[in-house]
């Protein structure tokens, strides 16, 4: 595939948007890195070209997107976790304003930055992105909401929906482990998993039964596991794993398959590739997760945007 380059030194406006609440790290530590990026980019591109913009609350993001569009910013650099990246890109995409995007890892989970091999070192990061290498990234939509790396519904999304922002901030990834353990005790210790899903791919006639569903748009899942061979941010396919069992032993077995990155070892796990899927649930408003946040609920329609956005990475 041919590599395209952006002429970053000709950009008129570059904005670094950072979320002070992302991740467990101390705010002072993160802002030092942001300031270092800011300084180095100003030295490289000119002091009038680069600006800083802080996200104090998630409610600020629509207004920030309005400002970025009105200024016709050439390049938006997002410093935060996957939730921050997803939320801002969704606002920009809904406005059909898609400048160049880059990400700096500063959140609880940084799957986008990890897949793009983005360093957390400001010097290395700036040296790389100023080369202007373009990477196409296809966006997924679940009920109209953007996601970049993963969406799903079932055990995992119930865990995500149960973790509070305070727990995420204080405990980092441990919050999900604790909630997952509690959910396992509560839901499947003495009874079978009571939630069921029906899944259909690409408008086919057949509906598949599942107890949990994971849909990957990236090679990584839960921070480190490579579940789907061939999946990539730059590949226009959705990769889906259907977990069909409902007993505690099934869930333990599935967790082992995920940890070993070997879904194919279990005949009860169905893996499919598609452009679209629909998901129904046996209860109303069951939470679905998108890039680590509970954003929408079943029933779900999940599709791909046809035209990729352009990352500099």
């Amino acid at each position: 595939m041919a590599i395209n380059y952006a002429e970053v030194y000709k950009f008129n406006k570059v904005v670094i948007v950072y979320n002070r609440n992302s991740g467990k790290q101390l705010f002072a530590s993160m802002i030092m890195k942001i300031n270092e990026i800011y300084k180095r980019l100003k030295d490289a591109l000119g002091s009038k070209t680069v600006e800083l913009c802080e996200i104090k609350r998630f409610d600020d993001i629509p207004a920030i997107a309005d400002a970025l569009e009105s200024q016709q910013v050439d390049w938006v650099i997002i410093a935060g976790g996957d939730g921050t990246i997803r939320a801002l890109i969704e606002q920009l995409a809904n406005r059909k304003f898609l400048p160049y995007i880059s990400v700096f890892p500063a959140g609880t989970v940084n799957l986008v930055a990890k897949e793009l091999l983005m360093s957390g070192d400001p010097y290395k990061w700036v040296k790389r992105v100023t080369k202007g290498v373009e990477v196409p990234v296809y966006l997924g939509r679940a009920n109209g909401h953007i996601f970049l790396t993963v969406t799903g519904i079932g055990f995992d999304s119930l865990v995500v929906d149960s973790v509070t922002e305070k727990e995420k901030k204080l405990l980092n990834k441990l919050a999900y482990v604790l909630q997952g353990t509690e959910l396992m005790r509560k839901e499947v210790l003495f009874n079978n998993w009571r939630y069921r899903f029906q899944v259909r791919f690409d408008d086919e006639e057949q509906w598949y039964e599942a107890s949990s569903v994971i849909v990957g748009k990236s090679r990584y899942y839960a921070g480190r596991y490579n579940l789907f061979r061939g999946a990539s941010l730059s590949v226009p396919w959705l990769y889906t794993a259907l977990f069909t069992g409902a007993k505690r032993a099934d869930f333990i077995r599935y967790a082992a398959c995920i940890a070993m990155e070997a879904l194919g070892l279990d005949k009860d796990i169905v893996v499919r590739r598609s452009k679209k899927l629909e998901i129904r649930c046996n209860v109303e408003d069951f939470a679905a997760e998108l890039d680590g946040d509970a954003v929408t609920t079943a029933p779900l329609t999940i599709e791909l945007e046809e035209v990729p956005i352009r990352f500099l990475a």
Side-chain angles (χ1 to χ4, degrees):
M1 184 174 65
I3 299 176
N4 295 321
Y5 293 88
E7 297 183 275
V8 298
Y9 295 97
K10 293 184 179 180
F11 288 167
N12 294 313
K13 179 71 70 174
V14 177
V15 177
I16 303 169
V17 182
Y18 65 96
N19 184 353
R20 63 182 301 165
N21 297 308
S22 287
K24 185 184 177 184
Q25 69 270 25
L26 293 175
F27 175 66
S29 173
M30 193 265 276
I31 198 61
M32 286 177 61
K33 293 183 178 182
I34 301 303
N35 282 331
E36 183 65 20
I37 289 172
Y38 179 50
K39 177 180 179 299
R40 289 182 179 276
L41 285 176
K42 284 200 303 180
D43 290 344
L45 307 180
S47 59
K48 294 183 179 180
T49 303
V50 187
E51 293 183 1
L52 280 174
C53 177
E54 179 184 346
I55 300 173
K56 296 180 180 178
R57 303 174 304 161
F58 253 60
D59 291 345
D60 296 338
I61 291 178
I64 290 171
D66 283 337
L68 295 173
E69 181 184 18
S70 66
Q71 296 174 48
Q72 289 296 292
V73 172
D74 299 295
W75 183 13
V76 177
I77 297 163
I78 309 171
D82 291 331
T84 302
I85 296 166
R86 186 206 66 78
L88 182 53
I89 289 178
E90 177 173 293
Q91 290 293 326
L92 296 174
N94 288 346
R95 289 163 173 75
K96 300 189 184 305
F97 174 66
L98 293 172
Y100 287 102
I101 302 288
S102 289
V103 298
F104 181 78
T108 305
V109 181
N110 300 287
L111 294 187
V112 175
K114 183 173 182 178
E115 173 151 337
L116 295 174
L117 302 177
M118 302 307 296
S119 172
D121 175 83
Y123 169 75
K124 294 179 180 178
W125 189 92
V126 171
K127 183 179 180 180
R128 177 170 170 178
V129 296
T130 50
K131 293 178 181 178
V133 177
E134 294 185 17
V135 178
V137 172
Y138 287 88
L139 302 177
R141 282 192 183 265
N143 289 353
H145 297 282
I146 289 291
F147 69 96
L148 286 90
T149 58
V150 66
T151 185
I153 192 164
F155 186 87
D156 288 1
S157 67
L158 206 54
V159 170
V160 168
D161 193 40
S162 301
V163 174
T164 66
E165 285 299 319
K166 184 177 181 180
E167 289 172 333
K168 188 189 300 186
K169 182 70 176 177
L170 294 176
L171 300 176
N172 203 264
K173 295 177 184 178
L174 180 60
Y176 298 99
V177 176
L178 295 175
Q179 282 292 349
T181 302
E182 174 60 20
L183 187 62
M184 182 71 75
R185 183 197 65 80
K186 179 180 176 182
E187 293 285 351
V188 295
L189 183 59
F190 300 110
N191 302 289
N192 290 343
W193 180 250
R194 57 196 171 100
Y195 304 107
R196 300 298 299 175
F197 304 94
Q198 292 182 315
V199 183
R200 181 169 72 165
F201 298 96
D202 291 330
D203 298 317
E204 296 173 356
E205 291 186 6
Q206 181 179 1
W207 288 83
Y208 293 81
E209 296 285 337
S211 55
S212 282
V213 184
I214 296 174
V215 182
K217 223 358 246 90
S218 161
R219 74 187 69 180
Y220 293 112
Y221 168 75
R224 58 175 294 186
Y225 304 112
N226 192 337
L227 289 192
F228 301 109
R229 183 176 299 175
S232 167
L233 296 174
S234 298
V235 171
W237 287 101
L238 298 166
Y239 291 79
T240 303
L242 307 180
F243 302 87
T244 59
K247 299 178 181 179
R248 181 165 61 98
D250 296 324
F251 282 80
I252 294 172
R253 197 172 68 250
Y254 298 154
C257 289
I258 290 172
M260 292 187 296
E261 301 179 348
L263 300 183
L265 292 179
D266 195 315
K267 60 181 178 58
D268 290 337
I269 302 174
V270 177
V271 179
R272 284 282 307 266
R273 190 180 75 165
S274 66
K275 297 286 188 179
K276 172 186 176 182
L277 62 154
E278 300 161 81
I279 303 176
R280 306 186 299 211
C281 183
N282 63 338
V283 300
E284 293 185 358
D285 299 327
F286 193 101
E289 67 105 347
L290 282 68
D291 292 337
D293 290 319
V295 176
T296 187
T297 60
L300 294 172
T301 298
I302 302 171
E303 299 178 283
L304 285 169
E305 295 275 81
E306 293 184 2
V307 179
I309 62 175
R310 299 169 299 174
F311 271 60
L312 298 183

